[in-house]
């Protein structure tokens, strides 16, 4: 069964609620080499917006870090970057420097990312490539997705709880989907059976294509007034144990006051919180700007997309759900 259909049927049956649907489609562009030397180039990701790859303005470096920290980033603008090795953390930050495209021999990435902001091409041997003679053919593919959402309570302002999923890359057997989904269901149950905050709404949003640059979240945000969002709780890769509060991704996700308040709420229920900086890829704070994002991300996460959900102990779901529900209930209690 498709994930969107499963989520809708399961939640409507379990909680007797009506789920709203948003269906959208997007065109994805892929780049392939058409002629040059015998070396092959493989397009690692699709891109949402077509770009011209300029071979005449290539720039080769041994390591992305510390180069982009020590040198002037403008040196990389509108260039084809060539580098032997690229990590997930390095990949994430390349978009900040207006690079046109990348050729690398090895991309080390844990996230099953399918769409990125710039073309990334892999080859077995950079030195054998005749860069100036490379030419590229662009192919297109249309993908469709479904967002699901519903609200609790009333008010002009609301607390947005987001579960990004990917209908093309995940299934009901995936550990990272089931872990986050069980946490979400437990939060819904608690709000129904215990109490919901008063004075503002809570919106649960299941947004499609998490690994396609969070296209679903982008589409949903277009249709709402983000000035009315108090905070966002991101449930992606939550519920797998050893959760840490993400303090910074591209930007600081939480101001100091909100972070202290979250820690105080957790301490009050006898739970301690560890925090960290996000190294894995996520563009959520480039989509949702200037709004606090509360994200408890499970570490380590190397096998989160390959392990079967039977490896998930129930205690993980209960522990993090209790912490998250306490935050939802008390963070904006005085509004």
């Amino acid at each position: 069964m498709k994930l969107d259909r499963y989520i809708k049927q399961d939640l409507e049956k379990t909680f007797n609620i009506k789920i709203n649907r948003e269906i959208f489609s997007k065109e994805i562009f892929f780049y392939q080499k058409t002629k040059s030397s015998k070396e092959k180039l493989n397009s690692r990701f699709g891109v949402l917006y077509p770009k011209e790859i300029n071979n005449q303005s290539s720039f080769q470096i041994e390591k992305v870090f510390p180069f982009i920290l020590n040198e002037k980033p403008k040196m990389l603008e509108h260039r084809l970057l060539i580098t032997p090795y690229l990590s997930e953390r390095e990949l994430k930050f390349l978009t900040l420097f207006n690079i046109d495209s990348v050729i690398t021999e090895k991309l080390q990435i844990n996230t099953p990312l399918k769409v990125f902001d710039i073309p990334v091409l892999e080859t077995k041997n950079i030195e054998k490539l005749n860069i100036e003679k490379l030419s590229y053919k662009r192919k297109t593919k249309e993908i469709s997705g479904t967002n699901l959402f519903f609200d609790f309570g009333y008010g002009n302002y609301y607390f947005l709880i987001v579960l990004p999923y990917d209908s093309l890359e995940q299934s009901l057997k995936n550990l990272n989907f089931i872990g986050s989904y069980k946490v979400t269901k437990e939060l819904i149950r608690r709000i129904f059976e215990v109490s919901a905050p008063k004075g503002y709404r809570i919106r649960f949003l299941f947004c499609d294509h998490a690994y396609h640059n969070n296209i679903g979240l982008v589409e949903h945000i277009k249709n709402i007034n983000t000035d009315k969002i108090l905070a966002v709780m991101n449930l992606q890769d939550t519920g797998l144990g050893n959760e840490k509060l993400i303090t910074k991704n591209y930007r600081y996700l939480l101001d100091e006051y909100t972070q202290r308040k979250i820690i105080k709420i957790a301490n009050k229920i006898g739970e301690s919180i560890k925090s960290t900086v996000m190294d894995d890829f996520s563009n959520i704070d480039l989509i949702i700007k200037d709004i606090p994002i509360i994200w408890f991300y499970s570490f380590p996460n190397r096998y989160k997309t390959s392990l079967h959900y039977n490896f998930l102990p129930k205690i993980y779901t209960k522990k993090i759900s209790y912490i998250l529900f306490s935050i939802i209930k008390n963070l904006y209690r005085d509004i």
Side-chain angles (χ1 to χ4, degrees):
M1 183 183 290
K2 287 187 175 182
L3 287 184
D4 60 316
R5 189 182 303 172
Y6 171 79
I7 295 169
K8 189 174 189 298
Q9 290 182 2
D10 183 50
L11 294 182
E12 288 183 338
K13 182 179 179 181
T14 304
F15 300 107
N16 192 27
I17 55 177
K18 178 65 178 175
I19 308 291
N20 300 297
R21 299 172 74 226
E22 291 177 338
I23 300 174
F24 60 90
S25 62
K26 275 288 182 180
E27 198 171 43
I28 308 298
F29 300 88
F30 296 89
Y31 291 81
Q32 293 180 330
K33 174 188 69 71
T34 55
K35 60 180 179 179
S36 88
S37 63
K38 296 180 181 179
E39 286 298 309
K40 291 183 179 180
L41 282 175
N42 297 315
S43 180
R44 186 63 185 265
F45 310 117
V47 295
L48 293 177
Y49 305 102
K51 292 192 174 186
E52 296 300 326
I53 299 178
N54 185 1
N55 296 329
Q56 304 304 317
S57 186
S58 61
F59 193 87
Q60 187 162 352
I61 57 177
E62 283 300 313
K63 293 182 179 180
V64 173
F65 287 135
F67 179 86
I68 61 175
L69 301 177
N70 298 335
E71 303 290 336
K72 294 180 180 179
K74 285 193 174 293
M75 294 177 66
L76 302 177
E77 283 189 357
H78 311 301
R79 297 230 188 174
L80 164 59
L81 178 65
I82 304 168
T83 185
Y85 173 83
L86 200 56
S87 70
E88 187 162 350
R89 180 168 177 258
E90 292 168 336
L91 175 74
K92 182 170 73 173
F93 283 99
L94 288 184
T95 56
L96 300 180
F97 300 99
N98 294 320
I99 294 169
D100 279 347
S101 53
V102 182
I103 294 179
T104 185
E105 290 179 0
K106 185 177 182 181
L107 172 60
Q108 183 64 44
I109 184 169
N110 294 321
T111 307
L113 193 64
K114 298 302 175 184
V115 168
F116 192 59
D117 287 333
I118 56 179
V120 178
L121 301 164
E122 285 183 300
T123 183
K124 291 183 179 179
N125 194 325
I126 285 174
E127 299 303 323
K128 288 184 179 181
L129 284 177
N130 189 337
I131 300 298
E132 293 183 356
K133 291 186 177 181
L134 286 176
S135 60
Y136 307 89
K137 184 177 180 181
R138 196 164 62 207
K139 293 186 177 181
T140 61
K141 176 184 177 182
E142 189 170 293
I143 62 172
S144 60
T146 305
N147 291 334
L148 305 167
F149 67 95
F150 63 96
D151 294 349
F152 279 109
Y154 302 93
N156 292 326
Y157 291 88
Y158 57 95
F159 197 121
L160 181 62
I161 301 175
V162 179
L163 174 53
Y165 73 101
D166 201 299
S167 57
L168 297 178
E169 297 302 318
Q170 291 177 305
S171 73
L172 293 173
K173 295 181 179 181
N174 286 139
L175 178 69
N176 61 335
F177 171 75
I178 288 295
S180 299
Y181 184 65
K182 285 184 175 181
V183 170
T184 309
K185 283 188 70 174
E186 181 63 15
L187 290 178
I188 296 170
R189 184 195 68 78
R190 286 178 179 271
I191 291 172
F192 258 124
E193 297 180 3
V194 183
S195 64
K198 292 180 173 60
Y200 57 91
R201 287 180 291 149
I202 295 177
R203 171 166 294 184
F204 280 88
L205 169 65
F206 302 82
C207 45
D208 203 351
H209 296 325
Y211 300 130
H212 291 75
N213 239 18
N214 269 316
I215 300 173
L217 181 58
V218 172
E219 293 302 307
H220 186 79
I221 291 297
K222 286 179 182 177
N223 301 318
I224 63 176
N225 184 358
T226 55
D227 291 336
K228 300 296 184 181
I229 301 177
L230 297 171
V232 174
M233 180 174 284
N234 184 19
L235 299 182
Q236 183 176 0
D237 295 327
T238 297
L240 309 182
N242 195 30
E243 285 86 358
K244 294 181 182 179
L245 180 65
I246 302 298
T247 55
K248 185 180 181 182
N249 188 37
Y250 287 101
R251 65 173 173 90
Y252 285 98
L253 303 187
L254 299 166
D255 58 87
E256 290 185 11
Y257 173 76
T258 303
Q259 190 174 336
R260 287 199 303 269
K261 198 167 182 182
I262 288 172
I263 293 172
K264 185 177 179 181
I265 291 170
N267 289 341
K268 210 167 185 179
I269 60 173
E271 298 288 349
S272 61
I273 287 177
K274 294 179 180 179
S275 60
T276 191
V277 174
M278 185 73 167
D279 282 338
D280 294 347
F281 178 83
S282 172
N283 65 339
I284 188 169
D285 50 326
L286 298 181
I287 301 169
I288 299 172
K289 301 177 181 179
D290 304 321
I291 299 172
I293 298 176
I294 303 162
W295 189 3
F296 283 84
Y297 192 70
S298 293
F299 290 89
N301 50 19
R302 186 177 175 186
Y303 302 107
K304 65 186 178 184
T305 60
S306 58
L307 282 178
H308 193 277
Y309 67 86
N310 283 339
F311 284 88
L312 183 67
K314 291 181 180 179
I315 191 172
Y316 289 172
T317 301
K318 291 183 178 180
K319 180 178 179 180
I320 192 63
S321 298
Y322 184 38
I323 296 173
L324 295 177
F325 177 72
S326 300
I327 293 170
I328 294 168
K329 187 177 178 182
N330 297 294
L331 187 60
Y332 295 108
R333 198 168 192 171
D334 299 330
I335 291 181

